[in-house]
Amino acid sequence: MLDDVVAEDVSAWRVGFDEAFSRVAGVFGRVEPRRWARAYVTGLLAPVERKNSWQLSKAAGVVEPDGLQHFLNRSRWSADELRDRVRAYAAESLACPDGVLVPDETGFLKKGTKCRYRHFTPYDELAVMPTRDAMPQAGVA
């Protein structure tokens, strides 16, 4: 799939990301937390194997994770307001008159040698894999 990605795709993704982030940027009262929030999301979207503060900082182009750790642990912003804005953006972006959004609380398969199991952790990892699909019309199979 990555072989099929062209510069126009990346430009379109950047525009979409900028639009989405502009909807939530106001949650962060100052410029610094806004920059760190953007760097954090950029790192989460990056193709890094482990999503820890070191790897996320590096993926966002920052050498040390101190700023990101400060943002995540001590910066003041409303998680509830952020959630509400993201939810509104997702509902608006995915909305269609005959559609339904089905969230799937999928667990992560852990990569260990001792055992392999589904890992569900509601606070430190979140996997929301929405599916946009048209609802069947009455009388149509």
Side-chain angles (χ1 to χ4, degrees), residues 71-86:
F71 166 72
L72 293 172
N73 295 319
R74 294 184 294 280
S75 187
R76 292 183 184 215
W77 46 276
S78 171
D80 292 335
E81 185 178 351
L82 179 61
R83 179 206 55 223
D84 293 345
R85 289 184 185 204
V86 169

Side-chain angles (χ1 to χ4, degrees), residues 37-103:
R38 188 178 180 95
Y40 179 64
V41 174
T42 300
L44 289 174
L45 295 172
V48 295
E49 186 172 334
R50 299 189 57 87
K51 305 287 184 178
N52 59 42
S53 60
W54 281 95
Q55 300 296 329
L56 296 177
S57 295
K58 187 176 177 181
V62 181
V63 178
E64 298 287 328
D66 299 342
L68 181 58
Q69 290 171 344
H70 180 274
F71 166 72
L72 293 172
N73 295 319
R74 294 184 294 280
S75 187
R76 292 183 184 215
W77 46 276
S78 171
D80 292 335
E81 185 178 351
L82 179 61
R83 179 206 55 223
D84 293 345
R85 289 184 185 204
V86 169
R87 181 177 35 204
Y89 173 77
E92 180 183 304
S93 299
L94 298 173
C96 67
D98 58 349
V100 61
L101 179 63
V102 181

Side-chain angles (χ1 to χ4, degrees), residues 6-35:
V6 294
E8 291 81 22
D9 293 333
V10 174
S11 294
W13 296 336
R14 174 62 64 189
V15 169
F17 180 74
D18 291 344
E19 177 189 339
F21 194 78
S22 71
R23 298 277 300 266
V24 301
V27 171
F28 310 101
R30 297 183 15 232
V31 172
E32 295 86 6
R34 235 175 273 145
R35 287 183 184 146

